Amino acid sequence: MQEITEKLHDFLLEHIDEMSQEWLDSREVEKDSIYTADASSQTTEYLRVQNQYFTCKIVKVLIGESLDTLSDWAQEVASKRAQRGDSLYHSIHHFKKFRLIFFKQIESFFHLHSSSITYEE
């Protein structure tokens, strides 16, 4: 089981750019939202960096790393978004979008290795 977990870890990290880009491409034009599709390239890059940091931290839990630093980072991001006036609704909406993209990658991994792992694993 440990070997497959490490393979999943590596697989997800290999696809981190792809997942971030898919998430960014899924944006729509939204009034008064940092997530808007017509955001500046600087804002888009800021979102990409945040998304990849978050994804990397989540994936590293598979190999035993702690989520402690993620909590501090999430608090900082939430404070910045609140100061900008970004709604909690937009943040949750876009988190849910990314969660589906992330799970789709896990499913892809499963299909690639279906002969060596069970669905339960």
Side-chain angles (χ1 to χ4, degrees), residues 72-108:
D72 294 338
W73 172 82
Q75 182 66 38
E76 179 184 330
V77 169
S79 294
K80 285 181 182 177
R81 299 272 164 81
Q83 289 170 357
R84 283 181 35 100
D86 293 318
S87 75
L88 183 58
Y89 166 80
H90 284 122
S91 294
I92 292 170
H93 174 73
H94 286 276
F95 175 77
K96 286 180 177 182
K97 279 182 160 184
F98 184 74
R99 183 178 62 186
L100 292 174
I101 292 166
F102 188 81
F103 286 143
K104 189 170 69 172
Q105 283 296 331
I106 293 172
E107 286 178 345
S108 294

Side-chain angles (χ1 to χ4, degrees), residues 1-118:
M1 182 69 173
Q2 182 63 27
E3 181 182 336
I4 201 72
T5 301
E6 289 174 9
K7 285 183 180 181
L8 175 60
H9 165 270
D10 295 345
F11 178 85
L12 291 170
L13 288 182
E14 288 169 11
H15 291 86
I16 201 166
D17 291 334
E18 179 185 327
M19 288 187 287
S20 287
Q21 190 59 51
E22 184 176 346
W23 174 66
L24 290 168
D25 290 346
S26 75
R27 297 175 302 160
E28 298 172 358
V29 175
E30 301 176 65
K31 186 178 181 192
D32 301 323
S33 173
I34 191 173
Y35 300 103
T36 187
D38 61 356
S40 69
S41 59
Q42 182 181 10
T43 298
T44 298
E45 189 57 28
Y46 172 75
L47 290 172
R48 179 186 318 279
V49 168
Q50 284 188 336
N51 177 266
Q52 290 181 351
Y53 178 85
F54 171 75
T55 305
C56 188
K57 286 296 186 182
I58 295 297
V59 169
K60 290 195 177 280
V61 169
L62 293 170
I63 58 168
E65 287 197 20
S66 170
L67 286 177
D68 292 343
T69 57
L70 188 61
S71 178
D72 294 338
W73 172 82
Q75 182 66 38
E76 179 184 330
V77 169
S79 294
K80 285 181 182 177
R81 299 272 164 81
Q83 289 170 357
R84 283 181 35 100
D86 293 318
S87 75
L88 183 58
Y89 166 80
H90 284 122
S91 294
I92 292 170
H93 174 73
H94 286 276
F95 175 77
K96 286 180 177 182
K97 279 182 160 184
F98 184 74
R99 183 178 62 186
L100 292 174
I101 292 166
F102 188 81
F103 286 143
K104 189 170 69 172
Q105 283 296 331
I106 293 172
E107 286 178 345
S108 294
F109 176 83
F110 171 74
H111 290 298
L112 285 172
H113 298 279
S114 61
S115 64
S116 60
I117 59 174
T118 66

